[in-house]
Amino acid sequence: MARVRTLLRRRAGALAAVTAALALAVPAAGPPAAASGLPRGHDVSSHQKHVGWQAARNSGARFAYVKATEATSYRNPYFAEQYNGSRAAGLVRGAYHFALPDSSSGTAQARYFVRNGGGWRADGWTLPPALDVEYNPYSRKRKCYGLTKKQMVRWIRSFSDEVRNETGRRPVIYTTTQWWKLCTGNSGAFSSSNPLWIAGHGASGPGPLPGGWQFWTFWQHATDGALPGDQDLFNGSTGRLRTFARG
């Protein structure tokens, strides 16, 4: 996210869902050209530094996710500027956390995230917190961070539970189908509780969804485009985006 997530990703770049999300989701759309009526958004991190939010709004952005934290030791130094700037420009915005499941527990990382920008309130402008869980950017050999499939599912569950306890919302889960199959065994444990943010780049659509999800809520379809950072779509109308934000 905020840069293409590969095994060489740098630190700087580092649904059947809840009932409300189910009511808001629509069947998976086609390619961005065919889904041009869906609200456009983007996700950014410290790599983008000083984002021109009003220009992004004028270029069609309606929502944004901003990287807040990674593990329990990193906070995006541009977070406040990016998070507040996107709201000031009229975007619905939320925060995301990049998971390093081999560094500390899901509970500990969730607490760090919430205390450093990953909160939520039902104001219609704040998207639910998001968990970015994917290939290990720091080790090619430890794609799943050294965890077994069951351990990974437990880690994600502990993160999700703690975010729910602290904010009242289950986090959106950002992942790829390939990683989810490899590292969770394609677990369906979250398909009825957590909205899906699927990454599928350069494709005519997001492709098969992982883990029992029948709908995607967000689709990251490209790593560059008209908006700063990665390019995203919301699976619904702008009004439904605001309703989803309110919870």
Side-chain angles (χ1 to χ4, degrees):
M1 304 170 64
R3 290 286 284 174
V4 59
R5 299 300 196 189
T6 70
L7 295 177
L8 298 178
R9 170 186 156 276
R10 298 172 59 187
R11 188 177 192 82
L15 202 220
V18 287
T19 301
L22 280 170
L24 299 172
V26 296
S36 59
L38 296 180
R40 296 166 53 204
H42 53 139
D43 55 270
V44 301
S45 71
S46 60
H47 180 80
Q48 281 71 40
K49 297 182 180 179
H50 309 292
V51 176
W53 290 108
Q54 191 58 56
R57 178 72 166 77
N58 294 343
S59 294
R62 295 297 178 263
F63 68 90
Y65 264 107
V66 178
K67 181 176 181 179
T69 52
E70 180 174 314
T72 56
S73 59
Y74 174 80
R75 187 174 188 269
N76 173 9
Y78 298 93
F79 175 76
E81 176 187 333
Q82 293 174 342
Y83 190 76
N84 295 330
S86 55
R87 172 66 186 91
L91 275 65
V92 182
R93 83 294 189 240
Y96 77 86
H97 173 83
F98 189 84
L100 292 183
D102 57 347
S103 69
S104 53
S105 70
T107 300
Q109 292 194 31
R111 288 173 179 167
Y112 182 76
F113 174 44
V114 172
R115 283 155 178 69
N116 288 280
W120 174 78
R121 56 181 178 174
D123 58 1
W125 293 99
T126 308
L127 293 168
L131 171 66
D132 178 354
V133 58
E134 53 177 290
Y135 286 106
N136 186 346
Y138 304 116
S139 173
R140 290 181 181 273
K141 295 181 179 180
R142 290 165 56 88
K143 296 178 181 179
C144 303
Y145 303 87
L147 274 63
T148 67
K149 295 176 176 66
K150 289 183 179 180
Q151 288 172 334
M152 185 63 74
V153 171
R154 286 198 295 269
W155 193 96
I156 296 169
R157 174 58 67 197
S158 66
F159 185 96
S160 178
D161 286 347
E162 186 61 24
V163 168
R164 172 66 175 79
N165 290 341
E166 301 237 5
T167 71
R169 293 292 297 268
R170 291 280 182 190
V172 174
I173 293 177
Y174 169 99
T175 195
T176 70
T177 298
Q178 184 184 48
W179 184 90
W180 195 263
K181 288 181 177 179
L182 177 67
C183 297
T184 75
N186 208 31
S187 171
F190 305 94
S191 62
S192 63
S193 57
N194 298 71
L196 174 65
W197 184 356
I198 188 67
H201 305 152
S204 59
L209 303 182
W213 276 288
Q214 299 299 309
F215 306 97
W216 54 269
T217 299
F218 296 99
W219 172 22
Q220 185 191 86
H221 61 83
T223 58
D224 55 54
L227 305 175
D230 297 328
Q231 313 296 294
D232 301 288
L233 292 169
F234 173 73
N235 209 353
S237 66
T238 301
R240 287 181 175 179
L241 175 66
R242 293 287 303 277
T243 302
F244 176 72
R246 282 194 297 272

